[in-house]
């Protein structure tokens, strides 16, 4: 049986109001805040090890 491996997702924040605080969240298949104040963290890598290949993710921003 072949071993299925996860990968990584790279997200790049390319703009936004300098005074805004944006939290990057994953909303599905589970909910988790990935980066607090994402506007100050341009580009990051999130390791998806353990997630089945072909999984669909739904990301969002929370604007404070």
């Amino acid at each position: 049986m072949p071993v299925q491996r996860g990968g990584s997702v790279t997200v790049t924040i390319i703009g936004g109001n300098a005074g805004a605080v944006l939290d990057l969240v994953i909303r599905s298949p589970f909910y988790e805040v990935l980066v607090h104040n994402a506007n100050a963290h341009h580009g990051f890598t999130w390791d998806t090890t353990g997630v089945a290949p072909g999984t669909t993710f739904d990301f969002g921003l929370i604007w404070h």
Side-chain angles (χ1 to χ4, degrees):
M1 172 179 254
V3 176
Q4 295 184 345
R5 300 179 190 274
S8 65
V9 176
T10 302
V11 178
T12 303
I13 305 298
I14 58 172
N17 184 321
V21 176
L22 305 171
D23 293 342
L24 179 65
V25 298
I26 184 168
R27 298 183 297 207
S28 174
F30 50 86
Y31 185 88
E32 181 180 346
V33 176
L34 298 177
V35 177
H36 292 284
N37 196 14
N39 207 27
H41 296 89
H42 290 218
F44 74 98
T45 301
W46 175 59
D47 184 11
T48 56
T49 303
V51 178
T55 300
T56 300
F57 294 98
D58 180 22
F59 294 96
L61 291 173
I62 298 174
W63 185 304
H64 301 274

